[in-house]
Amino acid sequence: MIDTDSNLPRLLLALATPAVCAWSLAAAGCGSDKPAVAADSVQSQVAHIETIQHEACKESGNRVEALDTNGDGKPDIKRVFSGNQELCRIVDLGRDGKPDMYEYFDADGTTIRRREYCYDDTGDVNAVEHYEKGHLVSREFDAAGRRKIDTWDTFDPNAQLDPKTGRPAHPLHRERDTSGDGKVDQWWTWNGDKVTIAIDRTGDGKPDPDTAIVLGPDNSIQTPPPPPDTSTAPASAAPTSAAPPATGTDAKSVASAPAAASDGGHQ
């Protein structure tokens, strides 16, 4: 089914932050609002494919059914068949003569297995979704416009779907390469409508524990201050206040990122 509610361009503008709630906890739903970073359990060294790989939807040699959905005399949808089995679709949602979306189907000709999106005027693919038995399981896309993949999302195929979009409200977790150097430097993990985020500033391929931040649904920073120092201090020592939540460039970018905690992905 063609999804005309796709809003990934808005999502791409929102990607300014990372997240981690230890990967071992992510599968259990990260049962705490406190940021948790267990560097040893984070799969931070997993190699990701950065090349955007477009799968051809070949019209030549196949039966093509062209549909004009707005009556302007130009086809907006091309359905490609082999016999009676639909192989793929080419969709021009912008009606500018350039494909905006490609859809690919399993052997039954009806179950979606892959979607590709083009979110600029070039017609080039910059986002790919992968499905298993019709359920979204992963997505990769070019958030920075460098013409290579820099963001990788993993979804729960059994997650409840948004009735408006037919997709999960958000991924389970996300990895990002914000610098474009081929190394993941941000980790996101969702827990309900909150997202825990962490950054690798040291370049060791692992999230730095002191960067963990929790964003609420309104993008407010909800990271609690660190616990008070209970060690015995000299009587003459001046009282110290607990350090504030993360500040500076990272915290500002997190707080200003629109809709970061309610990433509906194409929602």
Side-chain angles (χ1 to χ4, degrees):
M1 177 178 236
I2 295 173
D3 175 20
T4 56
D5 295 324
S6 298
N7 287 324
L8 186 58
R10 179 181 61 187
L11 170 64
L12 299 184
L13 297 177
L15 300 177
T17 56
V20 86
C21 195
W23 290 117
S24 58
L25 295 179
C30 292
S32 170
D33 289 342
K34 295 181 180 180
V37 179
D40 292 340
S41 66
V42 174
Q43 300 174 1
S44 54
Q45 302 299 329
V46 175
H48 290 297
I49 297 175
E50 295 184 300
T51 304
I52 301 174
Q53 299 177 336
H54 168 58
E55 181 177 328
C57 182
K58 297 181 179 179
E59 299 179 49
S60 177
N62 292 311
R63 178 170 64 88
V64 178
E65 179 181 309
L67 305 176
D68 176 11
T69 62
N70 65 340
D72 64 355
K74 300 177 182 178
D76 307 308
I77 302 172
K78 292 182 180 180
R79 303 176 64 189
V80 180
F81 293 82
S82 175
N84 293 323
Q85 176 190 340
E86 185 171 8
L87 302 176
C88 52
R89 295 183 188 182
I90 305 172
V91 185
D92 176 15
L93 296 173
R95 297 182 174 89
D96 59 0
K98 297 178 181 178
D100 301 300
M101 180 172 67
Y102 297 86
E103 294 189 311
Y104 307 84
F105 300 94
D106 282 335
D108 61 6
T110 59
T111 305
I112 190 74
R113 64 174 178 82
R114 178 185 177 97
R115 280 194 178 104
E116 299 180 359
Y117 297 86
C118 310
Y119 287 107
D120 52 31
D121 294 332
T122 65
D124 295 332
V125 172
N126 43 33
V128 180
E129 291 182 341
H130 303 275
Y131 293 76
E132 292 180 1
K133 297 181 179 179
H135 298 279
L136 179 63
V137 294
S138 65
R139 175 177 65 207
E140 64 248 10
F141 52 97
D142 170 20
R146 299 188 183 100
R147 293 294 179 260
K148 65 178 182 179
I149 300 299
D150 56 26
T151 303
W152 299 267
D153 288 346
T154 301
F155 291 83
D156 176 4
N158 299 315
Q160 184 176 357
L161 303 181
D162 185 310
K164 293 183 179 180
T165 65
R167 288 182 171 82
H170 51 70
L172 278 175
H173 52 77
R174 165 177 295 160
E175 293 183 337
R176 296 195 62 215
D177 168 20
T178 63
S179 64
D181 64 357
K183 299 178 181 178
V184 171
D185 53 30
Q186 292 188 1
W187 293 263
W188 311 36
T189 296
W190 277 263
N191 177 21
D193 59 3
K194 297 179 182 179
V195 57
T196 305
I197 58 181
I199 305 170
D200 173 20
R201 293 196 188 101
T202 62
D204 64 355
K206 299 177 181 180
D208 300 334
D210 63 345
T211 65
I213 295 173
V214 176
L215 290 184
D218 59 353
N219 296 319
S220 60
I221 298 177
Q222 301 187 359
T223 304
D229 185 0
T230 58
S231 61
T232 303
S236 59
T240 58
S241 59
T247 58
T249 302
D250 295 319
K252 291 179 181 178
S253 65
V254 168
S256 63
S262 58
D263 168 58
H266 311 267
Q267 310 302 326

